[in-house]
Amino acid sequence: MSIHIGAQAGEIAETILLPGDPLRAKYIAETFLEDAVCYNQVRGMFGFTGTYKGKRISVQGTGMGIPSISIYATELIRDYGVKQLIRVGTCGGIQDDIKVRDVIIAMTASTDSNVNRLRFPGFDYAPHADFGLLRHAYEAGVSNNLSIKVGNVLTADTFYRDSMEPVKKLAAHGVLGIEMETAALYTIASSFGAKALSILTVSDHLFSGEADTTAEERQTTFNHMIEMALEAGIQE
Ligand SMILES: O=P(O)(O)O[C@H]1O[C@H](CO)[C@@H](O)[C@H]1O
Ligand SMILES: O=c1cc[nH]c(=O)[nH]1
């Protein structure tokens, strides 16, 4: 057991999917994994291990924001030997050609968080995805006729903001969407020599006024993204 995960050694697979919402973890386990067993309920942050196409896969809720995912990513890699971590999250779109329900793969993640400035004093580190995971996820999505964008996302420390001006500037520099975990996931995975990828479904658009997805849709209708993550996870 680690401080925040109640699993015994060996109960978590080397490849894991990481949704922010623990109920999405339960949904993924029940919908996509065979013989799924719940290994964690500490803080209601469900974790399950089962098989997908015969390969062992786990899925673990991470909560929202950098502090929360940093705890889970660190304990999963350091204490349970996880080697491939694939976030399956939601984000807000900020480009005109990105629509609600599109899928974004985060090649890299900018951030307004200070965590990497504490880690690398005097440097601006560029957190990045694992290329092999990214390639397999992209190919799985393309073969499913999905609209997939690959590029830079913003990992923000806040969901609500006083001013949209910094977001407009980021959009003008090509940033595709905003979420709250990827920069930390990529940095922590790299620090341990593990592989990471973030796949994000656009749940709302910050500028277009396009209707948001409901909480129920966020939990249950992101099957294409989840399949991309599972296919990448079993091939790498
Ligand atoms: O849907 P998840 O994976 O939680 O991701 C996004 O949703 C949450 C905010 O509503 C943040 O965690 C953000 O990153
Ligand atoms: O962090 C997030 C997630 C979804 N939509 C947003 O605007 N921000």
Side-chain angles (χ1 to χ4, degrees):
M1 285 179 51
S2 60
I3 293 175
H4 301 90
I5 302 174
Q8 300 301 315
E11 286 188 324
I12 303 180
E14 287 191 352
T15 297
I16 196 160
L17 268 55
L18 301 176
D21 181 352
L23 292 181
R24 200 180 312 144
K26 186 166 181 281
Y27 171 75
I28 292 169
E30 289 172 350
T31 310
F32 291 92
L33 300 186
E34 287 180 24
D35 304 320
V37 173
C38 182
Y39 65 74
N40 188 56
Q41 296 193 45
V42 176
R43 291 177 179 251
M45 204 60 76
F46 295 122
F48 299 84
T49 298
T51 61
Y52 177 75
K53 297 188 176 176
K55 298 214 174 165
R56 229 166 146 247
I57 296 266
S58 294
V59 54
Q60 169 70 56
T62 64
M64 291 185 277
I66 283 179
S68 190
I69 196 169
S70 298
I71 287 170
Y72 292 100
T74 300
E75 293 183 16
L76 287 167
I77 300 168
R78 187 192 63 192
D79 302 330
Y80 292 98
V82 173
K83 300 199 177 340
Q84 300 196 120
L85 303 93
I86 307 175
R87 168 164 155 70
V88 282
T90 61
C91 72
I94 60 172
Q95 294 290 336
D96 290 345
D97 63 346
I98 286 182
K99 312 289 178 211
V100 170
R101 295 183 203 287
D102 281 355
V103 175
I104 293 173
I105 298 180
M107 188 159 62
T108 183
S110 304
T111 187
D112 59 11
S113 161
N114 210 34
V115 289
N116 277 352
R117 293 201 168 169
L118 294 171
R119 190 185 279 263
F120 302 104
F123 294 85
D124 285 320
Y125 175 76
H128 59 90
D130 176 76
F131 178 70
L133 285 176
L134 190 158
R135 183 168 64 89
H136 287 305
Y138 182 78
E139 286 170 358
V142 166
S143 68
N144 222 353
N145 294 320
L146 295 184
S147 163
I148 299 165
K149 303 285 191 302
V150 181
N152 194 356
V153 301
L154 176 72
T155 297
D157 259 353
T158 53
F159 184 87
Y160 299 107
R161 43 190 64 82
D162 292 339
S163 164
M164 291 303 286
E165 291 311 311
V167 178
K168 286 181 186 160
K169 192 177 265 188
L170 287 161
H173 285 73
V175 174
L176 304 174
I178 304 185
E179 54 85 74
M180 300 178 70
E181 292 84 13
T182 297
L185 174 64
Y186 286 1
T187 303
I188 290 166
S190 293
S191 78
F192 286 103
K195 300 177 179 180
L197 181 68
S198 270
I199 312 176
L200 306 164
T201 298
V202 178
S203 58
D204 55 283
H205 198 290
L206 275 72
F207 300 122
S208 74
E210 196 181 352
D212 297 356
T213 49
T214 64
E216 192 180 358
E217 284 176 309
R218 278 196 287 279
Q219 184 188 332
T220 59
T221 68
F222 299 145
N223 293 359
H224 290 314
M225 166 179 69
I226 294 161
E227 281 164 3
M228 287 168 62
L230 289 167
E231 289 298 325
I234 62 170
Q235 286 173 60
E236 266 300 293

